[in-house]
Amino acid sequence: MTTFIWLIALISVLGAAAYLRVSLMSATLSAALVMIVGTSLDITGFFSWLLFLVIALPLNMSQIRQTYLTKPMLKMYRSIMPEMSSTEKEAIEAGTTWWEADLFAGNPNWNKLHNYPQPRLTAEEQAFLNGPVEQACQMANTHQISHELADLPDELWQFLKDNGFFAMIIKKKYGGLAFSAYAQSRVLQKLAGVSSELAVSVGVPNSLGPGELLQHYGTAEQQDHYLPRLAKGLEVPCFALTSPEAGSDAGAIPDFGVVCYGQWQGEEVLGMKLTWNKRYITLAPIATVLGLAFKLQDPDKLLGDKKELGITCALIPTDTDGVKIGRRHFPLNCMFQNGPTQGDEVFVPLDFIIGGAKMAGQGWRMLVECLSVGRGITLPSNSAGGIKTAAMATGAYSRIRRQFKLPIGKLEGIEEPMARIGGNAYLMDAVTTLTTTGIDLGEKPSVISAIVKYHLTDRMQKSIIDAMDIHGGKGVCLGENNYLGRGYQAAPIAITVEGANILTRSMIIYGQGAIRCHPYILAEMDSAFDDDKRRGLEDFDSAIWGHIGFTTSNLMRSLWLGITGAHLSKSPYQDKTKRYYQQMNRFSANLALLSDIAMATLGGDLKRKERISARLGDLLSQLYLASATLKRFQDEGRQAADLPLLQWAVEDSLHKLQTSLDELLDNFPAKLGLLLRPVIFPLGRPVTRPSDELDHKVAKIMQTPCASRDRLGQGQFLSPCENNPVGIQEQTLLDILAAEPLYEKVCKAADKKLPFMWLDKIAQQGQELGVLTDAEVDLLKRAEIGRMKSINVDDFDHQQLMAQVKPQPSSERAA
C-alpha cells in the first residue's frame, strides 16, 4: 500500500510539474525529492536510482543530450519536413502574432487580454463620424445607386473626395486624416449599414492599395507626388492583383513585365514592357492610377545577375498608352465600381515600381506584409456594420409587425433567428474592436486578419439570411423602403473576395497559425535548415526539448481540465462569466495538444489534410471570437443588462468550437481520435448551445428601446431622414410603443377589443369618445403612417424596371 501511495505521489509530482510548466531542472529536482522519500521508506533502491539517473542526467546535460538525442532527432526532422520556399517563408513571416498566440499556447493569460487598452475615438475622429459620415449617409439612396444610376451619384463622389474619405490612412503631412484603425472601422461600419456600395468605395482605397504601399515602400518622390493627390481625391486608386488564372493562389499570377529600354516622353529610358489581364478589380473602371502586381523578368540582366526577379508592384497612370480600363463587372446587383483591366506590352519607366528599381521582385513581401492590416479592417467592419444595422431594423420590424394579434417578435419561431442576429451583432462588433486595437498597437496580425475575414463575413451572410426570413416579403421586394435585399444579394461577394472563405478556413488560418503562433515550430524549422550547423544544432536542441515539454504539459492540462471539468482552473472574474474563461482554458490546452499530435503524425502532409487543418483552425478562431466578446463586456463596464448578449455570443462560439473538436476526433489520422477522446472528453461534451430562454432575452432586447439595445447599434446611421428607412422605422418603433397604451384606452372607452390597425381611425374614435388629447391623436396618426411604411413594400410601373440602355451585341463589343 505504501508503494502504491508513493507511485501516486511520483506521478502527481511529475504531472503537476508538467501542468505548471516548470523547467526541466526543477522537474528533475522534484522527482529526486520523491525518490529520496522512497529510499527512506525502503521503496526505491539501487536499480531505481540507476534508472532515474540514466533518464535524468542525459536530459539535463546539454552536451550529452545534443550528441546522443538531439542530433538524431534533427536528422529525422530534416528528412520529413521539407525546407520552405522563399514565397512560403515570406508569407509565414509576414506580420506579427498577438493575442492569438496566447490562445494557441494552451494557457491564456486573461489579465493580459483585459489590460489591452480600450480604443477611443479622438475628438477629430468623432467629429468626422458625426459630421461628414452622417452627411454622406444622408446623401446615399440605395435604390437610386443600385437600380437607377448603377453608381454613387456624382455629388456623393465629390463629397467623399472633398472630405477626405479616401485619405483616412494617409499621414497628415500629405494632407490625409491619419485616423486610427479603430476610427476607420467605425466609419466603415456606419457606411455599411446604409449601402455596401458606399462602404466598399471608401474601404478599398484605405485598405490594400497604392496609398498603403506608397506609405510603407514608396520613394520620397512617389510619396510627395501621389499621396497629396490621393488625399485630395485628385487621384482615384485601384490595385490589380487577381488574374483569371490566379485567384486565391495569388503567387501564381501569369501577368509579367520585361526589363528593357524604350521610349518615354521622347527619351530612351530603362523601363518595363508590361502585359496583364486582371479582373475583379474594385474601382478599376474609374481609376486614375493603377497599382499593378506582376512577375518581372530581366532576360538581358540589365538589373543584375537574375533573369527572374519575381513579383513586383508598380503604379501606372491609367491614361498611359495601352492601359485598358472602363468596362465593369456586374457583381450580384451590387453597383460598386468593379471591373477588368488589361495591357499588352505597355512600356513604362523603371521608376514606376513602388519603391523604385531596388524594390524589383519584392512585391510579394510588400503585399503579404500590408495585406494583414487592410484585411483585418475593411471586410470585417463592413460585415459588422451591416449586421448591427440589420439587428436594429429586425428588432424594430418584429415589434411593429403583427400577425395572429401579436407582434411577430413574441413568437418563439421568430425569437430563434432574432437571437442569432442580435448575438452575432454583439460578437462581430467586439471582434472588430479587439482586432483594430491590435493594429493600433502596431501589430500586423496576419493570422487574426484571416480569422476575422472568414468568420465575420460568414456570420454576416448567415445573419442576413435570418433577417430575410423574418421580414418575408418585406425583404424580398426591392425598392426604396427595402433595407435588406441588396445586402442579401451582396453577401456572397464578401465571402469570395480577399481570399475565398473556403481557402481561408481550410488552408490559411491554421496553415499560418500553426507555425506563427506555436512557441517552438518556427524556431525548429529555422534551426533545422541553418547553414551554421553548430548553431543550428544548439537552437534545435533548445526548440525541440522545449516543444516536448510543451506537449507533455498540454497533455496533462487537457487530462486534468477534462476530469475536473476545468472547475479548478483560473478565471479573472467570479461572476457568471467565470465558466466561460475556465472552458476556454480547457479548449486552449486541447488545441495545443491536438496541434502537436497532428503535426507529429502528419508532418508536412498536414497542409494537404485541409479538413483536419480547417477544424484545428476553427478551435483557434472560436477562441479568438469568444475572447474578443469577453473583452468587450469588460471594456463596457460589465453591464448586467448586456449579459444575455454576451452569453449568447460566447456560448454559440464555444459550441461551434466543441462541434469542430468532436468532428476532428472522429476524423483524426491513424484512428488516434479513439485514444484521444478519453483525454479530451473524459466526462462527455461540456458545452451546450444557447438555450431557448437566452434566445428570448436577446430577442426582447432587440425589440425594446433600452441602453443595451443602444449599445448593440452604437455608431450606426439611425437618423429618421428621407433616405433612411431604418431610421424612420426606429422612430416608428418609439411611436408604436407610445401608441399601445392609447389604443388600450380607446378600447376600454369603446368597451370592445379593436384590431391594432388603422390607428388613424382609432385616433378619430378616441377623440369622439373624449379620451384622447389632440397630441395623442397626432401621435396615433403618425404611428399609423410609420406602421404602414414599415409593413408595405414598393411597387413599380413596368417601364421603371426595364433596362434603359440597350446592351451592344458581343460582336460589336469585341470590335
Side-chain angles (χ1 to χ4, degrees):
M1 187 64 179
T2 303
T3 302
F4 177 75
I5 294 173
W6 178 85
L7 283 172
I8 294 296
L10 178 62
I11 293 170
S12 298
V13 167
L14 292 175
Y19 183 93
L20 297 172
R21 298 184 176 176
V22 302
S23 67
L24 178 60
M25 181 58 72
S26 297
T28 303
L29 292 175
S30 299
L33 287 174
V34 178
M35 290 290 293
I36 292 171
V37 171
T39 301
S40 68
L41 297 173
D42 291 330
I43 296 172
T44 56
F46 173 77
F47 288 106
S48 298
W49 277 102
L50 180 63
L51 178 62
F52 173 77
L53 293 174
V54 166
I55 296 172
L57 290 178
L59 290 178
N60 286 276
M61 299 176 69
S62 60
Q63 194 63 41
I64 297 175
R65 183 180 66 240
Q66 289 179 21
T67 302
Y68 295 103
L69 298 176
T70 305
K71 189 177 285 187
M73 286 193 287
L74 176 57
K75 183 179 180 180
M76 182 184 301
Y77 186 92
R78 286 173 176 158
S79 68
I80 63 174
M81 186 65 70
E83 187 173 4
M84 285 190 293
S85 67
S86 60
T87 301
E88 288 177 315
K89 194 172 182 65
E90 286 176 356
I92 289 296
E93 292 180 349
T96 59
T97 57
W98 188 50
W99 172 243
E100 76 278 23
D102 288 70
L103 294 171
F104 201 98
N107 187 22
N109 182 348
W110 299 113
N111 290 327
K112 178 180 178 181
L113 172 70
H114 291 308
N115 285 333
Y116 290 134
Q118 181 181 3
R120 305 282 187 185
L121 296 172
T122 65
E124 181 185 2
E125 291 166 345
Q126 188 64 62
F128 188 77
L129 276 163
N130 294 343
V133 178
E134 182 83 6
Q135 191 171 343
C137 291
Q138 292 175 6
M139 295 172 69
N141 182 315
T142 301
H143 180 70
Q144 179 194 49
I145 292 168
S146 298
H147 183 68
E148 297 173 5
L149 299 179
D151 194 6
L152 302 181
D154 290 342
E155 59 271 21
L156 182 49
W157 272 116
Q158 194 59 49
F159 181 84
L160 297 176
K161 294 175 182 179
D162 292 343
N163 287 274
F165 278 81
F166 303 138
M168 290 192 290
I169 63 169
I170 295 176
K171 296 174 182 177
K172 289 192 175 184
K173 70 177 183 177
Y174 299 113
L177 298 177
F179 280 177
S180 66
Y182 177 66
Q184 294 173 50
S185 176
R186 306 318 283 189
V187 170
L188 293 177
Q189 285 191 33
K190 190 166 185 174
L191 298 178
V194 174
S195 163
S196 57
E197 290 89 349
L198 180 57
V200 169
S201 299
V202 171
V204 168
N206 290 290
S207 181
L208 175 65
E212 178 82 359
L213 294 172
L214 278 170
Q215 291 197 122
H216 283 86
Y217 308 105
T219 64
E221 293 80 7
Q222 290 171 339
Q223 292 173 343
D224 291 341
H225 174 74
Y226 278 114
L227 291 175
R229 294 178 61 80
L230 289 168
K232 294 176 183 177
L234 299 177
E235 301 280 7
V236 176
C238 71
F239 192 82
L241 175 62
T242 305
S243 303
E245 302 298 334
S248 297
D249 185 10
I253 56 175
D255 314 287
F256 64 94
V258 178
V259 178
C260 61
Y261 283 95
Q263 291 293 314
W264 183 259
Q265 297 179 349
E267 297 182 11
E268 186 176 59
V269 300
L270 184 60
M272 308 168 286
K273 281 186 179 179
L274 304 175
T275 298
W276 72 89
N277 178 23
K278 303 287 191 178
R279 62 178 180 178
Y280 307 149
I281 311 305
T282 300
L283 298 186
I286 59 170
T288 62
V289 58
L290 170 69
L292 184 68
F294 55 93
K295 289 183 176 176
L296 186 59
Q297 304 165 6
D298 187 11
D300 297 328
K301 298 185 178 180
L302 299 174
L303 297 181
D305 295 332
K306 295 174 64 176
K307 290 187 176 182
E308 300 291 335
L309 299 179
I311 295 176
T312 301
C313 296
L315 286 182
I316 317 295
T318 57
D319 59 2
T320 302
D321 289 343
V323 175
K324 296 180 182 178
I325 63 166
R327 295 191 65 79
R328 296 180 63 178
H329 299 313
F330 190 19
L332 291 173
N333 279 327
C334 190
M335 294 299 181
F336 63 96
Q337 291 282 349
N338 184 273
T341 174
Q342 299 90 22
D344 185 14
E345 295 192 345
V346 176
F347 182 81
V348 297
L350 209 62
D351 59 12
F352 278 28
I353 295 174
I354 297 175
K358 69 179 185 297
M359 295 301 290
Q362 299 299 308
W364 182 243
R365 177 172 64 85
M366 294 161 61
L367 291 173
V368 294
E369 285 180 353
C370 288
L371 180 62
S372 61
V373 174
R375 200 186 202 190
I377 299 173
T378 306
L379 280 173
S381 299
N382 290 354
S383 298
I387 294 309
K388 284 169 64 178
T389 294
M392 301 297 282
T394 304
Y397 178 79
S398 298
R399 188 62 182 79
I400 295 166
R401 181 78 166 109
R402 290 181 173 237
Q403 294 281 272
F404 310 108
K405 299 181 180 181
L406 283 173
I408 64 169
K410 293 188 177 182
L411 302 173
E412 288 192 357
I414 298 293
E415 285 183 345
E416 183 179 0
M418 277 188 72
R420 289 196 292 264
I421 298 168
N424 278 319
Y426 186 85
L427 176 144
M428 291 165 72
D429 198 5
V431 172
T432 58
T433 299
L434 181 59
T435 303
T436 53
T437 295
I439 293 171
D440 284 330
L441 289 173
E443 303 291 341
K444 293 183 177 180
S446 56
V447 177
I448 286 177
S449 69
I451 289 172
V452 298
K453 187 278 169 179
Y454 164 57
H455 285 280
L456 266 61
T457 57
D458 180 68
R459 285 175 180 258
M460 174 273 297
Q461 185 182 45
K462 291 178 170 63
S463 295
I464 202 74
I465 290 172
D466 279 332
M468 289 288 288
D469 286 349
I470 292 170
H471 282 76
K474 174 74 173 178
V476 169
C477 294
L478 296 174
E480 292 192 354
N481 288 309
N482 187 320
Y483 43 76
L484 288 177
R486 296 296 183 182
Y488 170 78
Q489 289 179 319
I493 301 173
I495 300 294
T496 301
V497 299
E498 290 193 20
N501 275 8
I502 291 175
L503 169 89
T504 302
R505 176 177 179 256
S506 61
M507 295 179 67
I508 296 178
I509 293 174
Y510 191 74
Q512 284 188 314
I515 297 175
R516 290 307 311 276
C517 297
H518 197 288
Y520 299 104
I521 289 292
L522 191 57
E524 289 170 354
M525 297 177 74
D526 288 342
S527 61
F529 299 100
D530 193 331
D531 293 333
D532 186 327
K533 301 301 182 185
R534 179 70 253 169
R535 181 180 62 194
L537 178 61
E538 290 177 355
D539 291 346
F540 187 78
D541 178 75
S542 175
I544 194 66
W545 290 102
H547 192 163
I548 291 170
F550 179 72
T551 304
T552 304
S553 172
N554 287 311
L555 174 63
M556 295 307 302
R557 289 182 62 80
S558 292
L559 181 60
W560 176 251
L561 294 172
I563 291 172
T564 63
H567 283 281
L568 302 179
S569 68
K570 292 182 180 179
S571 168
Y573 297 99
Q574 302 304 309
D575 57 12
K576 291 185 178 180
T577 66
K578 175 181 177 180
R579 286 297 294 147
Y580 300 144
Y581 290 103
Q582 292 177 328
Q583 288 161 343
M584 292 169 71
N585 290 337
R586 173 180 179 174
F587 287 135
S588 176
N590 296 161
L591 167 63
L593 173 65
L594 294 173
S595 292
D596 279 334
I597 294 175
M599 286 185 281
T601 55
L602 294 172
D605 289 336
L606 179 57
K607 64 182 180 182
R608 286 180 285 275
K609 294 289 186 179
E610 294 178 19
R611 299 185 75 174
I612 298 295
S613 177
R615 289 171 180 132
L616 286 165
D618 288 344
L619 307 191
L620 178 60
S621 298
Q622 298 299 344
L623 284 171
Y624 181 73
L625 301 186
S627 61
T629 309
L630 289 163
K631 167 69 169 162
R632 172 183 180 169
F633 187 68
Q634 158 71 16
D635 285 349
E636 293 182 347
R638 308 189 71 79
Q639 303 287 337
D642 293 356
L643 261 175
L645 295 166
L646 168 82
Q647 291 173 313
W648 193 99
V650 174
E651 289 177 20
D652 178 69
S653 289
L654 295 185
H655 187 263
K656 284 181 167 65
L657 183 156
Q658 180 178 263
T659 300
S660 290
L661 179 53
D662 196 29
E663 292 173 354
L664 176 63
L665 293 174
D666 284 342
N667 294 278
F668 216 78
K671 302 295 183 182
L672 285 175
L674 294 174
L675 298 176
L676 291 168
R677 188 173 287 278
V679 175
I680 304 299
F681 292 135
L683 304 177
R685 292 180 288 275
V687 175
T688 59
R689 67 174 69 249
S691 66
D692 294 353
E693 181 182 0
L694 203 49
D695 284 355
H696 170 75
K697 290 178 180 179
V698 172
K700 186 176 180 180
I701 289 173
M702 292 171 66
Q703 299 173 77
T704 308
C706 60
S708 292
R709 188 175 188 272
D710 291 344
R711 283 187 286 272
L712 191 65
Q714 183 178 15
Q716 296 310 105
F717 179 57
L718 302 174
S719 303
C721 63
E722 182 181 357
N723 286 343
N724 190 16
V726 174
I728 293 171
Q729 190 161 268
E730 282 292 292
Q731 181 59 53
T732 299
L733 172 63
L734 298 176
D735 290 343
I736 288 293
L737 293 174
E740 286 179 348
L742 304 181
Y743 156 79
E744 295 290 347
K745 187 190 294 187
V746 175
C747 289
K748 184 177 180 180
D751 197 25
K752 63 178 178 180
K753 192 71 172 178
L754 302 168
F756 193 85
M757 60 180 69
W758 305 311
L759 298 180
D760 51 342
K761 295 179 180 179
I762 289 176
Q764 182 179 350
Q765 189 172 355
Q767 192 173 38
E768 292 171 354
L769 291 170
V771 295
L772 296 179
T773 66
D774 290 344
E776 291 171 335
V777 168
D778 291 341
L779 188 150
L780 280 171
K781 290 179 178 179
R782 186 173 72 245
E784 179 62 14
I785 293 171
R787 189 182 75 87
M788 292 308 298
K789 189 175 182 64
S790 183
I791 293 172
N792 280 335
V793 299
D794 297 287
D795 51 72
F796 303 90
D797 182 88
H798 172 68
Q799 298 295 324
Q800 292 177 275
L801 298 179
M802 294 176 62
Q804 301 301 306
V805 179
K806 184 177 180 181
Q808 292 178 304
S810 57
S811 58
E812 292 182 28
R813 292 200 301 269

